[in-house]
């Protein structure tokens, strides 16, 4: 099982940018915690951050046939990017969207979300802990998919 974590613009500035909103944790610290959870569950994990919309589209596309699930914080592109939304819809993988802040109780423009409708689920407003919750949620999704596959195989065997 492989999960790809995709981080959008300015998330490389975590720990520096608007600490009153995003907290003091750096992206590397968040990723180290996610890696621990992945290791404990024998899961492969890859991290990617870009400030460029097209690079994020490319990374989502690369996940097709390579990854079993995506955790994405598209950051500001969440509110504008039909291209990232279409890429997520195209690869059709289990996708968990994360936002560190509660985008629903901030500026009006952050209420527009192009990404959420094509994601499996969203984790919003838990601070950096949201990434941990996304990992737990993704593990649950993977377990359920594996169980469904095993049941299908068993049913096919029984019908032989
Ligand atoms: C964010 C929320 C976005 O509105 C903002 O542009 C970000 C971070 C969050 O994690 O809370 O860069 O995605």
């Amino acid at each position: 099982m492989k999960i790809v974590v995709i981080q959008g613009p300015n998330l490389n500035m975590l720990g520096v940018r608007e600490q009153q909103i995003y907290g003091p944790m750096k992206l590397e610290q968040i990723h180290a915690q996610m890696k621990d959870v992945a290791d404990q569950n024998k899961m492969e994990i890859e991290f990617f951050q870009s400030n460029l919309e097209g690079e994020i589209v490319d990374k989502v596309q690369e996940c097709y046939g390579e990854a079993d699930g995506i955790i994405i914080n598209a950051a500001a592109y969440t509110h504008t990017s039909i291209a990232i939304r279409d890429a997520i819809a195209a690869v059709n993988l289990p996708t968990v969207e994360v936002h560190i802040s509660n985008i629903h109780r901030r500026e009006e423009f952050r209420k527009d979300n192009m990404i959420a409708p094509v994601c499996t689920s969203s984790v919003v407003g838990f601070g950096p802990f949201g990434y941990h919750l996304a990992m737990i949620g993704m593990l649950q999704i993977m377990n359920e998919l594996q169980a469904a596959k095993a049941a299908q195989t068993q049913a096919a065997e029984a019908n032989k």
Side-chain angles (χ1 to χ4, degrees):
M1 287 282 165
K2 179 174 174 180
I3 300 302
V4 175
V5 180
I6 300 176
Q7 305 280 15
N10 299 308
L11 293 171
N12 55 319
M13 294 290 284
L14 286 179
V16 175
R17 76 182 284 213
E18 301 178 278
Q19 281 200 30
Q20 72 286 4
I21 297 173
Y22 300 112
M25 252 177 119
K26 290 185 181 303
L27 195 61
E28 299 74 43
Q29 293 172 300
I30 292 171
H31 288 174
Q33 288 187 350
M34 294 174 90
K35 174 92 173 68
D36 284 346
V37 176
D39 288 349
Q40 283 156 19
N41 290 279
K42 302 194 177 359
M43 224 183 210
E44 207 183 321
I45 192 159
E46 182 188 330
F47 301 100
F48 175 83
Q49 190 277 329
S50 176
N51 294 324
L52 304 179
E53 185 177 16
E55 285 188 1
I56 295 169
V57 171
D58 282 346
K59 193 66 200 176
V60 172
Q61 287 185 10
E62 272 173 33
C63 291
Y64 183 71
E66 288 292 318
D68 301 289
I70 299 172
I71 294 175
I72 185 165
N73 183 348
Y77 289 136
T78 303
H79 315 296
T80 60
S81 181
I82 296 167
I84 295 174
R85 173 202 177 106
D86 285 352
I88 294 169
V91 299
N92 196 26
L93 288 166
T95 300
V96 178
E97 180 209 27
V98 176
H99 294 290
I100 298 168
S101 64
N102 184 349
I103 52 175
H104 306 295
R105 55 182 291 187
R106 295 183 63 191
E107 300 94 329
E108 276 305 304
F109 63 84
R110 291 187 210 277
K111 292 189 176 120
D112 288 338
N113 190 333
M114 303 295 144
I115 309 296
V118 292
C119 289
T120 315
S121 40
S122 302
V123 180
V124 167
F126 283 96
F129 186 64
Y131 288 100
H132 181 76
L133 295 177
M135 283 297 287
I136 303 301
M138 186 56 87
L139 285 167
Q140 177 66 16
I141 292 169
M142 295 289 131
N143 285 339
E144 281 172 16
L145 284 176
Q146 263 178 345
K149 249 191 209 160
Q152 249 179 3
T153 314
Q154 225 176 17
E157 289 293 324
N159 284 334
K160 266 186 188 169

